[in-house]
Amino acid sequence: MRRKLLFGERMLLGDGTEPFNAVIPFRLRGTFKEENIQHALNQIQRKHPWLRALISHDENNIPWFEVPERHLPIPIRMVTRKGEDDWKEESAREWKTLFNYGELPLIRFVWIKGEEVSDMLFSFHHCLCDGGSAMAFLYEFLQLLDRPSAEIGVENPILGIHDVVPSEILTNRKQKLKAKVIGRLAATAIKCIPVSKKAVDRQKDYLIHWKFNKEMSQELISYCKSHEVTVNTFLCAALLQAFKKVRGNAAFNKVSCPVDIRRFASQIKGDHIFAFGLMIVVSANQKISFSENLRLMQESVERKTSKLNPYITMMVMESAHDVLKNFTKLLKHGKSSNDCMFSNLGRIQIPHQYKEFTLDTIFSPSVIGPLGNTTTMVTSTFRGEMDFSFVGSEGYLPYAEALAIRDEVIQTVKLQLDPIAIL
């Protein structure tokens, strides 16, 4: 089984010399055997062919996902658990570790082994899949770790754009022409944009992590419902305000937000291994109050989201493979134009109580790569607690400023939920 990488996947893959890795850490209470962990990993590989795949290049240097005939298990790296924050150190180690994708799968497993508590990490190349896919195979892994005989089914994998874009759109002459024209215009623009010869020096990468307890998390959700805005919009507004307060004129007043393509393309199932995403940019009106901004931002988010068209977007990108190098160079060498990427995975629908162990927590994923500004905040909610991972690099956002931004976000949430308590 094999398929060509799509434009977005090729962009994330790069030339193989720089990692673009995502990490999902989680904490279990219980005791485990390595053979049971390996069995669970083998079974999720059996369900999902691309978790077994290598990457090969054809005579035109085009990369392909290719599933080898012989089974290549997901590698397990074991370390002894010394403290509560070991998962942060191992996450940072995994960000920097290249995948030898010509010989091993694009996914690894780290077991931070303790006597009664273990932290575990899935680390995968971002070209393989997104956070939604990863949560699906994490759920399956936990089922199998608890019950080795559990049935998790078999994925019918995506084999190309034809499995995502309906044939009546993909073969429509008008839609094909539209995609080609937009693609050519974008390609011309990309080639004409001047970029620096040197990429920004990222310097040291870092991870800042925090949680809201159940009470605060529920209060925030209730506040958003009463004001008819999403938690996502609220946190975008808090982020933009925090960047402005901390960075002043150096702030861009722009947050990029990934939008799950599964909301628009029903062909992509929840357990498909797939990496393509959509994006909107959110800004604030800095002349009005926070609460006034929420309503306007929510309207803007809904308007922009309603205009997203995953099918034309994919067709446009697939017509632009010839400018991939130019586009990648623009992302790497161009000046940063947004403050942060913000992704909200929402409530994670994974059980926490199992027969053989307890899933204590799932830490929000982290991801970092070489394509421009690395500043990224990811939030998720598990067992009623909102969890935040804030990743960045000193060369884009100094660590001290990132800490100040975190504090401002927390302060903004507290102020909106209980303005009297802050005084």
PDB file of all heavy atoms in Angstrom, residues 366-378:
ATOM      1  N   SER A 366       1.814  19.066  22.345  1.00  0.00           N
ATOM      2  CA  SER A 366       2.721  20.150  21.936  1.00  0.00           C
ATOM      3  C   SER A 366       3.279  19.789  20.567  1.00  0.00           C
ATOM      4  O   SER A 366       3.428  18.611  20.236  1.00  0.00           O
ATOM      5  CB  SER A 366       3.861  20.331  22.951  1.00  0.00           C
ATOM      6  OG  SER A 366       4.630  19.146  23.077  1.00  0.00           O
ATOM      7  N   VAL A 367       3.565  20.810  19.781  1.00  0.00           N
ATOM      8  CA  VAL A 367       4.122  20.586  18.444  1.00  0.00           C
ATOM      9  C   VAL A 367       5.063  21.728  18.108  1.00  0.00           C
ATOM     10  O   VAL A 367       4.811  22.883  18.475  1.00  0.00           O
ATOM     11  CB  VAL A 367       2.993  20.471  17.388  1.00  0.00           C
ATOM     12  CG1 VAL A 367       2.156  21.734  17.328  1.00  0.00           C
ATOM     13  CG2 VAL A 367       3.562  20.122  16.024  1.00  0.00           C
ATOM     14  N   ILE A 368       6.153  21.402  17.443  1.00  0.00           N
ATOM     15  CA  ILE A 368       7.100  22.444  17.073  1.00  0.00           C
ATOM     16  C   ILE A 368       7.831  22.011  15.805  1.00  0.00           C
ATOM     17  O   ILE A 368       8.140  20.835  15.618  1.00  0.00           O
ATOM     18  CB  ILE A 368       8.096  22.735  18.231  1.00  0.00           C
ATOM     19  CG1 ILE A 368       8.755  24.088  18.076  1.00  0.00           C
ATOM     20  CG2 ILE A 368       9.105  21.620  18.402  1.00  0.00           C
ATOM     21  CD1 ILE A 368       9.359  24.622  19.365  1.00  0.00           C
ATOM     22  N   GLY A 369       8.038  22.966  14.913  1.00  0.00           N
ATOM     23  CA  GLY A 369       8.683  22.660  13.644  1.00  0.00           C
ATOM     24  C   GLY A 369       9.432  23.859  13.096  1.00  0.00           C
ATOM     25  O   GLY A 369       9.463  24.929  13.722  1.00  0.00           O
ATOM     26  N   PRO A 370      10.019  23.721  11.922  1.00  0.00           N
ATOM     27  CA  PRO A 370      10.928  24.738  11.385  1.00  0.00           C
ATOM     28  C   PRO A 370      10.271  25.814  10.514  1.00  0.00           C
ATOM     29  O   PRO A 370      10.965  26.665   9.990  1.00  0.00           O
ATOM     30  CB  PRO A 370      11.879  23.900  10.539  1.00  0.00           C
ATOM     31  CG  PRO A 370      11.014  22.803  10.003  1.00  0.00           C
ATOM     32  CD  PRO A 370      10.027  22.502  11.091  1.00  0.00           C
ATOM     33  N   LEU A 371       8.938  25.778  10.351  1.00  0.00           N
ATOM     34  CA  LEU A 371       8.290  26.690   9.400  1.00  0.00           C
ATOM     35  C   LEU A 371       7.828  27.979  10.059  1.00  0.00           C
ATOM     36  O   LEU A 371       6.643  28.212  10.298  1.00  0.00           O
ATOM     37  CB  LEU A 371       7.105  25.983   8.725  1.00  0.00           C
ATOM     38  CG  LEU A 371       7.459  24.709   7.955  1.00  0.00           C
ATOM     39  CD1 LEU A 371       6.228  24.107   7.307  1.00  0.00           C
ATOM     40  CD2 LEU A 371       8.523  24.994   6.896  1.00  0.00           C
ATOM     41  N   GLY A 372       8.765  28.840  10.394  1.00  0.00           N
ATOM     42  CA  GLY A 372       8.420  30.156  10.914  1.00  0.00           C
ATOM     43  C   GLY A 372       8.180  30.165  12.416  1.00  0.00           C
ATOM     44  O   GLY A 372       8.685  29.321  13.156  1.00  0.00           O
ATOM     45  N   ASN A 373       7.381  31.149  12.852  1.00  0.00           N
ATOM     46  CA  ASN A 373       7.123  31.387  14.271  1.00  0.00           C
ATOM     47  C   ASN A 373       6.622  30.117  14.961  1.00  0.00           C
ATOM     48  O   ASN A 373       5.612  29.548  14.579  1.00  0.00           O
ATOM     49  CB  ASN A 373       6.082  32.506  14.412  1.00  0.00           C
ATOM     50  CG  ASN A 373       5.957  32.999  15.846  1.00  0.00           C
ATOM     51  OD1 ASN A 373       6.438  32.377  16.784  1.00  0.00           O
ATOM     52  ND2 ASN A 373       5.300  34.138  16.015  1.00  0.00           N
ATOM     53  N   THR A 374       7.339  29.683  15.986  1.00  0.00           N
ATOM     54  CA  THR A 374       7.002  28.425  16.667  1.00  0.00           C
ATOM     55  C   THR A 374       6.003  28.610  17.805  1.00  0.00           C
ATOM     56  O   THR A 374       5.575  27.625  18.405  1.00  0.00           O
ATOM     57  CB  THR A 374       8.277  27.788  17.255  1.00  0.00           C
ATOM     58  OG1 THR A 374       8.885  28.735  18.155  1.00  0.00           O
ATOM     59  CG2 THR A 374       9.271  27.437  16.169  1.00  0.00           C
ATOM     60  N   THR A 375       5.636  29.853  18.110  1.00  0.00           N
ATOM     61  CA  THR A 375       4.796  30.125  19.271  1.00  0.00           C
ATOM     62  C   THR A 375       3.416  29.497  19.087  1.00  0.00           C
ATOM     63  O   THR A 375       2.664  29.874  18.190  1.00  0.00           O
ATOM     64  CB  THR A 375       4.647  31.639  19.510  1.00  0.00           C
ATOM     65  OG1 THR A 375       5.941  32.263  19.434  1.00  0.00           O
ATOM     66  CG2 THR A 375       4.020  31.915  20.856  1.00  0.00           C
ATOM     67  N   THR A 376       3.081  28.546  19.952  1.00  0.00           N
ATOM     68  CA  THR A 376       1.846  27.782  19.818  1.00  0.00           C
ATOM     69  C   THR A 376       1.253  27.496  21.189  1.00  0.00           C
ATOM     70  O   THR A 376       1.965  27.080  22.103  1.00  0.00           O
ATOM     71  CB  THR A 376       2.102  26.432  19.114  1.00  0.00           C
ATOM     72  OG1 THR A 376       2.712  26.667  17.845  1.00  0.00           O
ATOM     73  CG2 THR A 376       0.813  25.653  18.909  1.00  0.00           C
ATOM     74  N   MET A 377      -0.054  27.726  21.313  1.00  0.00           N
ATOM     75  CA  MET A 377      -0.755  27.337  22.535  1.00  0.00           C
ATOM     76  C   MET A 377      -1.825  26.316  22.175  1.00  0.00           C
ATOM     77  O   MET A 377      -2.601  26.517  21.246  1.00  0.00           O
ATOM     78  CB  MET A 377      -1.403  28.537  23.229  1.00  0.00           C
ATOM     79  CG  MET A 377      -2.066  28.168  24.554  1.00  0.00           C
ATOM     80  SD  MET A 377      -2.844  29.577  25.382  1.00  0.00           S
ATOM     81  CE  MET A 377      -1.383  30.491  25.898  1.00  0.00           C
ATOM     82  N   VAL A 378      -1.817  25.199  22.905  1.00  0.00           N
ATOM     83  CA  VAL A 378      -2.820  24.155  22.709  1.00  0.00           C
ATOM     84  C   VAL A 378      -3.541  23.932  24.028  1.00  0.00           C
ATOM     85  O   VAL A 378      -2.904  23.840  25.083  1.00  0.00           O
ATOM     86  CB  VAL A 378      -2.182  22.829  22.233  1.00  0.00           C
ATOM     87  CG1 VAL A 378      -3.266  21.762  22.031  1.00  0.00           C
ATOM     88  CG2 VAL A 378      -1.387  23.041  20.951  1.00  0.00           C
TER      89      VAL A 378
END
